[in-house]
Structure formats: structure tokens, C-alpha cells
Amino acid sequence: MTYPYTTVPDLDAALGLIVLQEDETLEGDMRAMLPLETALYVSRVPSGDEVTPETLAAMAAHLTASAALLPKATRFASVGYGCTSGSAEIGSDRVAGFIHDGVATPHVTNPLAALVAACGALGISRLALLSPYVAEVSAKLRTALAGQGITTPAFGSFDESEENKVVRIDAQSIIDAAVDLAGLGGTEAIFLSCTNLRTLGVIDRIEALTGLPCLSSNQVLAWDMARNVAVGARIPGRLGRL
């Protein structure tokens, strides 16, 4: 027996997200910040167990294929690539080009590009930067930010290269390091880098302790993507009150 059917109208535009294979944090954080009714489709990109300039650069070869795995019939208002250091290593423009080659969308972003936009919205040009990664990875991010007019006069790191250790850095360690960096002075905000670092629950606490805006990779990415759909995202910190 064959039955007739009717169709529903086209769904609202969705958000697409390309998450690193080794990332255990970003997808959950995005779903926590976006309303339940927001359609979020996720693809994964191969990534190394160790974070080095070489493993970050290697993702460039896979971004188009990962973007192409997102549903083809879906209208995407924005697609995000979820790697801060990878975006610095590959370059935001190249990331956007690779993703546009795989999926149709008017807007591509990543945590680095989103951070630059958030700093512009908040009037910030001097960051205290906390990174989980080793020096050569962090240096590329600082250089990329400087190229956008954002300096990082206060910098600290957990000096870790293994993703499965980064994701298990506890909240108090992040808070203590961020507060210490803020205490060095000369900065207007704090940035917690890395989509795999569990930062969503510490942003408001750090702002309360330091009096400075606190930004994180996942927070700015969600904020930048949500601006392209008509939803009220639950963005923590001062950024969410803009």
C-alpha cells in the first residue's frame, strides 16, 4: 500500500558546526547556549591527539569534506568551525573559503573571528589571554590577534598539548589563573582560549572576581553565530547583555 502525504513549510534557517574529532566540550556548550528550538547540525573534522602547529594546519585539508557532510537540503544561516588555534594557524579567510566550498551559507565564523567581533562590540583592544596550550601554538594566536589590533599584554598558559588532558582541567584552575592574569593590570578583558576547555560555567564568576569582561572561545562563537538567526541565545557574561 502506498500512502499520499503532504509536506510542511521549509524550516527556519539552521546553524552548522564543525567540531574537532577530539573535542568533548563545544557541542554541549553550544546546545546549552542556544534555545531548544534552534536547529543545530554538527559535523566533525579529523584532529590530532596532540595540539601542535602541524596537527592544526593538517585540518585545512579536511574542512571542505567535513562541511559537505552537513545536511544538503538545510538552509544554514551560519556555519562555525570550532577551533581557536586552528583558525589562527590556517587563517580565518582560508577557513571560510574551505567551508564555503562544502556548504552553502552566507556566514562562516570561527572562535578567532568571533573574538575579534566581540572585542569590537565591547570596545576592547587589550586582552589578558589564558591558553591551555604549549608556547608555539599560543604564539600564533597572539600574532593573529595583534594583526587585528588586539594586543595580549598579559598571557598565561597551562602548557598542555594533549587534548584529553585539556578537557579535564578543572574550573578552579581556570578561575585562579584568570584572576591572576587580570591582576597583572593593563588589560580590558580576559579571554579563555580553546573550545575544548570547560569555561562556560566560570565566566560569570571570573567577571565577578575581576570586574572585567570575560570571553571564551565557545561563548564568542555561539554569540557570533546566533546573531545570524532570530533567537535569544543564553550567552553568559557581559557579552550576553549587549
Side-chain angles (χ1 to χ4, degrees), residues 1 7 10-11 24 41 46 62 64 68 85 92 94 102 105 116 123 134 138 142 166 175 198-199 217 226 237:
M1 176 68 76
T7 59
D10 284 344
L11 300 176
E24 301 175 47
Y41 297 96
H62 303 284
T64 297
S85 297
S92 287
R94 292 184 68 219
T105 179
V116 172
V134 296
S138 302
R142 298 180 75 186
V166 168
I175 292 169
R198 298 192 186 277
T199 61
S217 292

Side-chain angles (χ1 to χ4, degrees), residues 114-235:
L115 173 62
V116 172
C119 285
L122 290 166
I124 290 165
S125 61
R126 299 190 306 277
L127 288 174
L129 172 60
L130 178 61
S131 166
Y133 293 129
V134 296
E136 57 185 342
V137 171
S138 302
K140 193 63 176 272
L141 174 59
R142 298 180 75 186
T143 298
L145 287 170
Q148 297 293 322
I150 300 169
T151 61
T152 52
F155 170 75
S157 170
F158 295 116
D159 199 33
E160 184 54 67
S161 64
E162 296 182 42
E163 285 285 22
N164 64 357
K165 292 181 179 178
V166 168
V167 70
R168 287 163 178 83
I169 296 171
D170 72 359
Q172 195 59 52
S173 297
I174 298 169
I175 292 169
D176 290 345
V179 170
D180 186 68
L181 280 176
L184 298 176
T187 57
E188 301 162 317
I190 303 155
F191 178 58
L192 312 175
S193 182
C194 178
T195 59
N196 207 16
L197 196 64
R198 298 192 186 277
T199 61
L200 199 61
V202 304
I203 291 171
D204 288 323
R205 178 66 175 154
I206 291 170
E207 289 195 347
L209 289 170
T210 65
L212 296 177
C214 182
L215 305 172
S216 80
S217 292
N218 296 355
Q219 171 215 36
V220 297
L221 184 61
W223 171 79
D224 196 24
M225 292 175 67
R227 293 191 299 163
N228 290 273
V229 290
V231 300
R234 299 178 292 272
I235 306 297

Side-chain angles (χ1 to χ4, degrees), residues 68-128:
L69 291 174
L70 292 166
K72 293 189 181 302
T74 300
R75 293 185 302 113
F76 287 101
S78 178
V79 174
Y81 164 56
C83 187
T84 318
S85 297
S87 299
E89 186 68 39
I90 299 167
S92 287
D93 289 343
R94 292 184 68 219
V95 166
F98 291 135
I99 291 175
H100 278 303
D101 286 343
V103 63
T105 179
H107 181 255
V108 172
T109 188
N110 63 72
L112 174 57
L115 173 62
V116 172
C119 285
L122 290 166
I124 290 165
S125 61
R126 299 190 306 277
L127 288 174

